Amino acid sequence: MNSHAKELMRYAINGLVATAVHYGALSYNLHALGMQSAGAANLAAAMVGIAASFLGSRYFVFNRTDEAMLPQALKFSSLYAAIALVHGSVLLVWTDWLGFDYRAGFLIATAFQVSLSYFGNKKLVFNV
């Protein structure tokens, strides 16, 4: 297996782990902390999942620890904010404006998200 394929596999594993962390934090917020709002619980949980994704990308996927953590974290956060806007825009156009099923729109938006996240992290955040 070449190094690019290994990197893609690590990226997929990191995404799965970050998603599990996000879901675990969401469940903890709802059941252990008793948060009444799923939206608020999910927003807080998303921050935990994004932090897990950042650490996994820094130490496991791209292994770029030679740059200070704060500048990388700021670039990572900016990239994820931009990706969230793209994701929301795809659903806005696909579902709200064109009237197509939101589930298909979510899959299309998620495909954009995964691609933008991988290449954005590789080229803009971790400079690999």
Side-chain angles (χ1 to χ4, degrees):
M1 184 181 294
N2 67 35
S3 63
H4 184 67
K6 289 178 183 175
E7 184 179 87
L8 282 172
M9 186 175 358
R10 290 192 305 270
Y11 176 77
I13 292 168
N14 186 54
L16 291 172
V17 169
T19 301
V21 168
H22 181 163
Y23 183 75
L26 173 61
S27 296
Y28 182 81
N29 290 342
L30 289 172
H31 301 295
L33 297 181
M35 293 179 74
Q36 298 298 310
S37 168
N42 188 49
L43 182 62
M47 298 301 129
V48 176
I50 290 169
S53 177
F54 170 72
L55 292 173
S57 293
R58 178 180 165 90
Y59 292 104
F60 178 62
V61 178
F62 301 110
N63 195 22
R64 287 298 312 266
T65 57
D66 53 332
E67 184 179 343
M69 185 181 280
L70 184 58
Q72 282 182 338
L74 292 174
K75 288 188 282 186
F76 189 87
S77 299
S78 297
L79 175 65
Y80 269 75
I83 289 171
L85 289 175
V86 169
H87 198 278
S89 297
V90 168
L91 278 179
L92 173 73
V93 170
W94 182 265
T95 302
D96 295 346
W97 291 357
L98 299 176
F100 295 126
D101 189 308
Y102 76 92
R103 292 168 287 206
F106 183 83
L107 290 175
I108 292 167
T110 300
F112 277 120
Q113 176 183 337
V114 170
S115 299
L116 290 172
S117 172
Y118 175 74
F119 290 110
N121 277 315
K122 184 175 178 78
K123 298 299 181 190
L124 301 175
V125 177
F126 297 103
N127 302 316
V128 176

